Amino acid sequence: ALDMYYLSNVESTKLIGQYLKVGRLDVVFTHLRTVLHQPLSLSPSKLQKLSDILLQCYILQRLKDKESFDSMESEFDSFLANNSHFDQEKAMILLLDHSLFDSFIKFCCNRKILKKGLEKMGACLSFFADLR
């Protein structure tokens, strides 16, 4: 089925959406890794969009099945450290919203935005403290 989608030149994001609807995160990972392996073949906006989706997929996999994520955690850390195409602000919010504090701190350290990250984390924690 995947070959048929490729042959029909369906929009990549539509293909991803279809596989996510049926819970095939493994296929989405494979597709995104393949497409993002050749970043020069993509427009900057497409590159950012697909990188954002891959980040969300990593987080979804982490939340869905911690044990299976353990085998891809170093890959996720490498993605956070080396992919400069996803939206940094969205990444910070996603990591905080899902309580992925270790990844958040590593991300902020790698990007040299630790001060900003700690301020954002403090604001987030303050918000939750106010809810009590």
Side-chain angles (χ1 to χ4, degrees), residues 27 29 55 59 84 90 96 101 108:
V27 175
F29 272 116
L55 173 63
I59 292 172
S84 60
K90 285 182 188 176
L96 282 176
F101 300 120
C108 291

PDB file of all heavy atoms in Angstrom, residues 27 29 55 59 84 90 96 101 108:
ATOM      1  N   VAL A  27       5.209   3.020  10.493  1.00  0.00           N
ATOM      2  CA  VAL A  27       5.304   3.403   9.081  1.00  0.00           C
ATOM      3  C   VAL A  27       5.604   4.898   8.959  1.00  0.00           C
ATOM      4  O   VAL A  27       6.401   5.316   8.120  1.00  0.00           O
ATOM      5  CB  VAL A  27       4.005   3.044   8.318  1.00  0.00           C
ATOM      6  CG1 VAL A  27       4.054   3.545   6.883  1.00  0.00           C
ATOM      7  CG2 VAL A  27       3.764   1.542   8.347  1.00  0.00           C
ATOM      8  N   PHE A  29       7.207   6.756  11.177  1.00  0.00           N
ATOM      9  CA  PHE A  29       8.618   6.945  11.516  1.00  0.00           C
ATOM     10  C   PHE A  29       9.510   6.631  10.326  1.00  0.00           C
ATOM     11  O   PHE A  29      10.406   7.408   9.985  1.00  0.00           O
ATOM     12  CB  PHE A  29       9.025   6.049  12.697  1.00  0.00           C
ATOM     13  CG  PHE A  29       8.809   6.670  14.041  1.00  0.00           C
ATOM     14  CD1 PHE A  29       7.903   6.113  14.922  1.00  0.00           C
ATOM     15  CD2 PHE A  29       9.508   7.791  14.438  1.00  0.00           C
ATOM     16  CE1 PHE A  29       7.700   6.663  16.169  1.00  0.00           C
ATOM     17  CE2 PHE A  29       9.315   8.358  15.687  1.00  0.00           C
ATOM     18  CZ  PHE A  29       8.410   7.790  16.559  1.00  0.00           C
ATOM     19  N   LEU A  55       8.933  15.113  15.522  1.00  0.00           N
ATOM     20  CA  LEU A  55       9.059  15.402  16.951  1.00  0.00           C
ATOM     21  C   LEU A  55       7.799  14.956  17.696  1.00  0.00           C
ATOM     22  O   LEU A  55       7.874  14.290  18.731  1.00  0.00           O
ATOM     23  CB  LEU A  55       9.303  16.896  17.178  1.00  0.00           C
ATOM     24  CG  LEU A  55       9.289  17.357  18.637  1.00  0.00           C
ATOM     25  CD1 LEU A  55      10.413  16.708  19.428  1.00  0.00           C
ATOM     26  CD2 LEU A  55       9.362  18.862  18.718  1.00  0.00           C
ATOM     27  N   ILE A  59       7.329  11.958  20.647  1.00  0.00           N
ATOM     28  CA  ILE A  59       6.659  12.191  21.929  1.00  0.00           C
ATOM     29  C   ILE A  59       5.455  11.268  22.081  1.00  0.00           C
ATOM     30  O   ILE A  59       5.234  10.685  23.146  1.00  0.00           O
ATOM     31  CB  ILE A  59       6.285  13.679  22.081  1.00  0.00           C
ATOM     32  CG1 ILE A  59       7.569  14.512  22.221  1.00  0.00           C
ATOM     33  CG2 ILE A  59       5.357  13.893  23.276  1.00  0.00           C
ATOM     34  CD1 ILE A  59       7.370  16.002  22.187  1.00  0.00           C
ATOM     35  N   SER A  84      17.796  20.993  13.257  1.00  0.00           N
ATOM     36  CA  SER A  84      17.575  22.428  13.491  1.00  0.00           C
ATOM     37  C   SER A  84      16.359  22.946  12.727  1.00  0.00           C
ATOM     38  O   SER A  84      16.153  24.154  12.645  1.00  0.00           O
ATOM     39  CB  SER A  84      18.816  23.213  13.068  1.00  0.00           C
ATOM     40  OG  SER A  84      19.071  22.994  11.691  1.00  0.00           O
ATOM     41  N   LYS A  90       7.797  25.403  19.875  1.00  0.00           N
ATOM     42  CA  LYS A  90       6.823  24.311  19.972  1.00  0.00           C
ATOM     43  C   LYS A  90       7.435  23.103  20.670  1.00  0.00           C
ATOM     44  O   LYS A  90       6.773  22.436  21.453  1.00  0.00           O
ATOM     45  CB  LYS A  90       6.328  23.888  18.584  1.00  0.00           C
ATOM     46  CG  LYS A  90       5.354  24.830  17.950  1.00  0.00           C
ATOM     47  CD  LYS A  90       4.907  24.274  16.604  1.00  0.00           C
ATOM     48  CE  LYS A  90       4.086  25.258  15.822  1.00  0.00           C
ATOM     49  NZ  LYS A  90       3.749  24.751  14.483  1.00  0.00           N
ATOM     50  N   LEU A  96       7.573  20.167  27.772  1.00  0.00           N
ATOM     51  CA  LEU A  96       7.065  20.548  29.097  1.00  0.00           C
ATOM     52  C   LEU A  96       5.651  20.033  29.336  1.00  0.00           C
ATOM     53  O   LEU A  96       5.358  19.503  30.405  1.00  0.00           O
ATOM     54  CB  LEU A  96       7.086  22.068  29.261  1.00  0.00           C
ATOM     55  CG  LEU A  96       8.428  22.702  29.574  1.00  0.00           C
ATOM     56  CD1 LEU A  96       8.299  24.222  29.606  1.00  0.00           C
ATOM     57  CD2 LEU A  96       8.985  22.186  30.896  1.00  0.00           C
ATOM     58  N   PHE A 101      10.890  16.236  31.262  1.00  0.00           N
ATOM     59  CA  PHE A 101      11.833  17.221  31.785  1.00  0.00           C
ATOM     60  C   PHE A 101      13.286  16.897  31.454  1.00  0.00           C
ATOM     61  O   PHE A 101      14.059  17.814  31.160  1.00  0.00           O
ATOM     62  CB  PHE A 101      11.641  17.392  33.297  1.00  0.00           C
ATOM     63  CG  PHE A 101      10.267  17.866  33.667  1.00  0.00           C
ATOM     64  CD1 PHE A 101       9.453  17.101  34.482  1.00  0.00           C
ATOM     65  CD2 PHE A 101       9.768  19.072  33.187  1.00  0.00           C
ATOM     66  CE1 PHE A 101       8.176  17.531  34.812  1.00  0.00           C
ATOM     67  CE2 PHE A 101       8.493  19.511  33.511  1.00  0.00           C
ATOM     68  CZ  PHE A 101       7.699  18.738  34.333  1.00  0.00           C
ATOM     69  N   CYS A 108      17.500  22.091  25.879  1.00  0.00           N
ATOM     70  CA  CYS A 108      17.888  23.473  26.175  1.00  0.00           C
ATOM     71  C   CYS A 108      19.408  23.624  26.289  1.00  0.00           C
ATOM     72  O   CYS A 108      19.971  24.615  25.816  1.00  0.00           O
ATOM     73  CB  CYS A 108      17.207  23.960  27.452  1.00  0.00           C
ATOM     74  SG  CYS A 108      15.424  24.175  27.268  1.00  0.00           S
TER      75      CYS A 108
END
